[in-house]
């Protein structure tokens, strides 16, 4: 059994909490010719950027990814601390000014209320606690990537069903065109003889051999059997790609180009209204298929 077909469109979210710190990963992906990632992480967590890119490269082949990590440290404990460097500058300065002005020496309250003397600082976290939290954040990243893979595969399954249905339509139209093509030589000969009769009052002046040559040339120019055979081969190849699954979007897109080339040639060679109508319907169906294929990884 082949691998699952994946879409390049998806969304995933994973959350976690440890020691009063909460976090959430958000992953979004859209169509892209290659694999491209834009990652936003808070200050102090830049090391995760490389890990994100490495994990994406291991799990995906194509798509434009937007990854965002939000961390909330509001519950982290803080303490009041004296900035010794500023305090050592303030005390001598306050004492000198008090002496120069013969004023009352500043109180402790007054000194402590000066900006910068007292400051709130986060309590230092033990290294093992920080390592544990970072490990859990990376685990949440893996969970988000796994969820993204599932959503892309679910969407890919829907794309596969739609593409299979459209390939069935192309196959049906190819068979209808083949039936009409079988009647083309006789129809061309009939039209040629009618036109010749209208142009010449006496058709006996034209040799049977010359008539046969002209009709053969017209039939050869209008022959679409090769185009129809290639269409059938492309349908079979596309079905095989969908069956085998995996990252097949590029090859399916190439086949859509080949489909369109054959349909264009069919229309240009057609001298029959019904066959031209089939060619136009073929082109419309191929375009619908191409729009779906653009989303396949």
């Amino acid at each position: 059994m082949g691998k699952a077909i994946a879409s390049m469109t998806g969304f995933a979210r994973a959350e976690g909490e440890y020691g009063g710190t909460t976090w959430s990963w958000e992953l979004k992906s859209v169509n892209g010719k290659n694999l491209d990632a834009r990652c936003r992480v808070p200050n102090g967590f830049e090391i995760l950027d490389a890990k994100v890119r490495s994990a994406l490269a291991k799990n995906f082949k194509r798509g434009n990814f937007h990854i965002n990590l939000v961390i909330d440290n509001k519950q982290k404990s803080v303490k009041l601390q004296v900035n010794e460097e500023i305090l050592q500058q303030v005390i001598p300065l306050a004492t000198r000014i008090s002496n120069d002005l013969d004023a009352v020496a500043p109180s402790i309250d007054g000194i402590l209320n000066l900006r910068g003397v007292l400051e709130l600082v986060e309590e230092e976290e033990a290294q093992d606690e920080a390592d544990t939290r970072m490990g859990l954040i990376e685990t949440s990243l893996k969970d988000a990537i796994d969820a993204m893979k599932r959503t892309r595969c679910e969407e890919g399954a829907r794309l596969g069903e739609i593409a299979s249905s459209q390939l069935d339509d192309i196959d049906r139209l190819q068979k209808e065109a083949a039936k009409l093509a079988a009647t083309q030589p006789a129809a061309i000969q009939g039209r040629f003889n009618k036109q010749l009769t209208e142009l010449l009052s006496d058709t006996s002046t034209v040799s049977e051999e010359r008539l046969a040559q002209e009709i053969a040339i017209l039939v050869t120019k209008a022959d679409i059997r090769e185009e129809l055979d290639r269409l059938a081969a492309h349908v079979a190849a596309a079905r095989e790609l969908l069956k085998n699954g995996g990252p097949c979007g590029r090859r399916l897109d190439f086949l859509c180009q080949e489909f369109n080339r054959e349909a264009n040639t069919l229309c240009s060679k057609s001298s029959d209204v019904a066959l031209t109508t089939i060619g136009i319907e073929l082109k419309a169906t191929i375009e619908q298929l191409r729009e779906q294929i653009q989303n396949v990884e």
Side-chain angles (χ1 to χ4, degrees):
M1 184 178 178
K3 298 179 180 178
I5 291 177
S7 167
M8 286 189 283
T9 302
F11 174 82
R13 181 183 177 90
E15 301 176 339
E17 185 276 333
Y18 179 76
T21 298
T22 60
W23 61 85
S24 64
W25 287 99
E26 277 194 2
L27 279 64
K28 299 177 183 178
S29 71
V30 294
N31 300 355
K33 291 184 178 180
N34 300 299
L35 181 64
D36 182 55
R38 297 181 181 180
C39 184
R40 293 177 57 190
V41 297
N43 292 335
F45 293 85
E46 289 80 5
I47 191 174
L48 291 171
D49 185 281
K51 294 180 181 294
V52 168
R53 296 178 187 278
S54 176
L56 291 177
K58 290 178 181 177
N59 289 278
F60 306 103
K61 297 299 181 183
R62 297 172 65 200
N64 286 325
F65 285 82
H66 296 264
I67 302 96
N68 188 37
L69 172 63
V70 176
I71 294 183
D72 187 354
N73 282 324
K74 287 191 297 185
Q75 299 182 35
K76 193 167 185 180
S77 60
V78 296
K79 64 180 180 180
L80 198 60
Q81 177 177 291
V82 174
N83 188 317
E84 295 291 344
E85 183 177 350
I86 294 180
L87 183 63
Q88 294 304 318
Q89 298 177 37
V90 167
I91 292 176
L93 184 61
T95 301
R96 181 174 63 80
I97 293 175
S98 175
N99 292 335
D100 290 346
L101 299 178
D102 193 22
V104 177
S107 65
I108 294 178
D109 289 346
I111 293 176
L112 292 179
N113 281 326
L114 291 174
R115 178 179 296 181
V117 175
L118 285 180
E119 55 188 7
L120 291 173
V121 296
E122 294 182 350
E123 289 188 336
E124 290 188 10
E125 185 179 35
Q127 189 59 47
D128 58 341
E129 291 288 303
D131 292 343
T132 299
R133 183 187 61 200
M134 185 65 78
L136 291 173
I137 292 175
E138 291 182 30
T139 299
S140 294
L141 170 63
K142 181 180 181 302
D143 292 341
I145 288 177
D146 289 343
M148 174 66 81
K149 289 171 67 175
R150 288 193 297 272
T151 60
R152 282 170 51 123
C153 285
E154 289 169 0
E155 177 64 20
R158 289 190 285 271
L159 289 177
E161 291 176 359
I162 295 172
S164 293
S165 176
Q166 290 165 338
L167 286 172
D168 289 342
D169 288 338
I170 293 173
D171 187 46
R172 173 182 57 79
L173 291 168
Q174 183 269 339
K175 287 181 169 62
E176 290 179 8
K179 291 178 182 178
L180 283 175
T183 67
Q184 289 300 290
I188 290 172
Q189 184 174 355
R191 284 195 300 270
F192 181 77
N193 289 332
K194 182 181 179 181
Q195 292 169 353
L196 189 64
T197 301
E198 293 173 352
L199 290 171
L200 301 176
S201 57
D202 183 9
T203 57
S204 62
T205 58
V206 182
S207 68
E208 291 292 330
E209 182 180 355
R210 179 62 185 274
L211 286 174
Q213 288 176 349
E214 292 297 327
I215 292 173
I217 291 172
L218 292 174
V219 170
T220 300
K221 288 182 177 179
D223 188 2
I224 59 170
R225 286 175 296 179
E226 287 188 12
E227 286 75 20
L228 294 176
D229 288 343
R230 284 194 289 268
L231 271 174
H234 296 335
V235 167
R239 283 174 171 165
E240 188 68 17
L241 285 173
L242 290 176
K243 177 182 175 182
N244 293 335
C248 57
R250 289 184 186 275
R251 285 171 289 177
L252 286 170
D253 186 60
F254 172 76
L255 282 175
C256 281
Q257 297 176 38
E258 297 300 306
F259 277 131
N260 206 48
R261 182 177 291 112
E262 306 305 337
N264 283 333
T265 305
L266 186 152
C267 288
S268 66
K269 285 187 174 183
S270 174
S271 58
D272 182 88
V273 174
L275 190 57
T276 300
T277 301
I278 290 176
I280 293 172
E281 190 175 348
L282 258 175
K283 292 178 66 173
T285 305
I286 291 165
E287 179 60 23
Q288 291 169 0
L289 175 63
R290 190 192 68 82
E291 289 175 359
Q292 298 300 323
I293 295 307
Q294 298 300 308
N295 293 321
V296 176
E297 183 179 21

